[in-house]
Amino acid sequence: MQERPFDLLNKAIGQQVLIRLKNGSDIRGKVTSFDIHMNVVLDNAEELEDGNLKTKLGTILLRGGNILFVSPA
């Protein structure tokens, strides 16, 4: 049985993920929650540049419409 996107996001709660945004930014952090619009809340979020830490962001909300992909970090 193939998993749905919400099933995968549900499994990601409490896990660290890498999220690429439409503007090309990479954000890494621990998923704390998400909603039906795929808005995602990350804790201990960091912006990466070329795989290296650029900025510590703390707790953030990423709008689902800005997300290209979510992968394990």
Side-chain angles (χ1 to χ4, degrees), residues 6 9 33-40 61 64:
F6 287 122
L9 273 175
S33 64
F34 65 93
D35 66 11
I36 62 169
H37 304 289
M38 290 206 172
N39 298 318
V40 178
L61 167 70

Side-chain angles (χ1 to χ4, degrees), residues 16-20 26-29 46 48 69-73:
Q16 187 154 305
V17 296
L18 175 69
I19 297 179
R20 175 147 308 145
D26 288 333
I27 308 292
R28 180 174 59 200
E46 305 170 328
L48 305 177
F69 68 77
V70 179
S71 70

Side-chain angles (χ1 to χ4, degrees), residues 35-66:
D35 66 11
I36 62 169
H37 304 289
M38 290 206 172
N39 298 318
V40 178
V41 177
L42 296 179
D43 207 13
N44 298 320
E46 305 170 328
E47 183 178 4
L48 305 177
E49 189 172 276
D50 299 322
N52 298 314
L53 176 64
K54 179 180 177 186
T55 310
K56 289 189 178 235
L57 303 169
T59 302
I60 62 170
L61 167 70
L62 295 174
R63 288 191 50 171
N66 291 322

